[in-house]
Amino acid sequence: MNKKTGFKYGMLFALTALMWLLSACAQSDGQQTVRSGETTVPIASGSGASGQSEVSSGNDKVEDTGETIYLYGNDFVDFIAPKFMEETGFKIEAVHYGGGEALAKIEAEQGNPQWDVLMMDGHGSVRNLADRDFLMTGWQPQNLGNLSENGKAYVPEDFAYFPVGIHAAGVIAYNTDRVSLEKAPTTWEQFFDYDGPVGHADPAVAAPAYPLVSAFFEQWGVAEAEQKYAQRFEKGLHVYPKNGPVGKALLSGEIEVAALQEHNAYELKLAGEPIEVIWPEEGAPGSLRVVAISKQAKNPAAAKAFVEYMLKPETQQMLTALDSTDSFFTPLVEGVPARSEREPNGAFMLPSAKWASEHEVEIKTWFADQNVR
């Protein structure tokens, strides 16, 4: 990594950390259009379980050092870490962060990393870490063959991270007490043209929000997307730190329509709130959840075992069975069904990891500039 690139990403994550701190202070509470753009690589079949004291890597075995590994991430980490420890015997502690927080912590700790495994939404941001030599590469899990064809298409050629699920970073949700069925936007063009206040989460803070925004920027091109967003800010675009406050603003009437993460949107609808959910025909911006290992992991055997664990059908089935709308995602392991309450034929808009990575600084910086005007 050259000094110019390092400075650029250092500035990005400094900005991310600042935006998170500011938002935390301001927050009272807290077709199938899948365009992965990844190089599909040959993936070995097989679904062997990881052992308790060693993990195979080709013909080599990686010994368990006995050290506790630290898992940084958002959804599921608090639940999955004790399950993994109970079933494998490896020691792990989960540290629950929002996406922006996790990235800022990893950046701040680069001289002395405290994390070993990362599991979060946003393959573009994780691709950034790989391109900057933060991640272990070149290791192919035995359970990688469990992935569906879609899942395999998301695996990067260098095996820097591994996809475990995808969900909608934003569906169109509207308050039925404020918006009639006839006036509700059903496409993203209509969402941006809607004559009334709309909102979504901050791409510098919420993990799914950069996938949301980058999908629009990739689809329309950077210049046109900036123009659409500038016009939308003028008409009334409210940006909130995370998706929870977006949902509360939608209920209160502060905004009438939202580009809301599907977990939050369906949670409100299933709770009987006056919220309707629309999955646009052109697709919902996809948030790809991936798991990656630090290049400086203190216990590589345990870290690799965690990846193997996340690629097991039993683990995916356990997550989709949770009594929570966090379980609203499309599993990428073959044969594991998604929740029936979701849109069964929803398509995703997903930029390639390379595109999302290359444009992350530009898009987040531009977006932050609009927020402070």
Side-chain angles (χ1 to χ4, degrees), residues 1-216:
M1 177 180 66
N2 61 41
K3 291 183 179 179
K4 182 177 180 181
T5 303
F7 176 77
K8 178 176 71 171
Y9 286 109
M11 289 298 293
L12 166 66
F13 289 109
L15 171 65
T16 298
L18 178 60
M19 291 296 292
W20 171 71
L21 288 171
L22 291 174
S23 65
C25 293
Q27 190 176 348
S28 60
D29 49 39
Q31 44 183 20
Q32 184 167 347
T33 316
V34 177
R35 299 188 297 274
S36 76
E38 296 294 348
T39 302
T40 303
V41 295
I43 294 174
S45 14
S47 57
S50 301
Q52 291 191 2
S53 61
E54 58 187 24
V55 176
S56 296
S57 177
N59 295 322
D60 300 324
K61 291 182 178 179
V62 181
E63 298 297 330
D64 177 16
T65 67
E67 291 194 55
T68 299
I69 60 171
Y70 288 84
L71 168 66
Y72 284 12
N74 46 10
D75 294 343
F76 301 128
V77 297
D78 296 320
F79 171 79
I80 206 68
K83 291 288 185 182
F84 167 73
M85 187 160 54
E86 176 185 341
E87 293 185 29
T88 68
F90 289 110
K91 292 182 289 186
I92 187 172
E93 288 191 22
V95 186
H96 194 139
Y97 288 123
E101 297 171 78
L103 294 172
K105 284 289 289 182
I106 289 171
E107 183 69 25
E109 294 173 359
Q110 62 179 299
N112 182 26
Q114 301 302 302
W115 68 285
D116 300 279
V117 183
L118 173 68
M119 187 168 71
M120 64 172 282
D121 302 328
H123 64 317
S125 298
V126 179
R127 181 71 254 172
N128 270 342
L129 295 176
D131 291 343
R132 299 170 59 214
D133 204 28
F134 280 64
L135 305 181
M136 178 187 294
T137 59
W139 170 67
Q140 183 173 344
Q142 291 182 336
N143 285 343
L144 210 56
N146 292 343
L147 289 174
S148 64
E149 289 306 308
N150 277 345
K152 291 174 183 176
Y154 299 134
V155 177
E157 193 171 20
D158 61 356
F159 299 106
Y161 57 82
F162 307 98
V164 294
I166 186 171
H167 68 275
V171 291
I172 296 175
Y174 67 93
N175 186 323
T176 57
D177 289 341
R178 304 272 179 161
V179 183
S180 67
L181 176 64
E182 294 73 24
K183 291 186 177 180
T186 60
T187 69
W188 293 116
E189 291 277 1
Q190 292 175 6
F191 172 84
F192 277 83
D193 291 338
Y194 180 74
D195 187 18
V198 304
H200 66 58
D202 190 334
V205 179
Y210 178 63
L212 171 75
V213 172
S214 63
F216 298 140

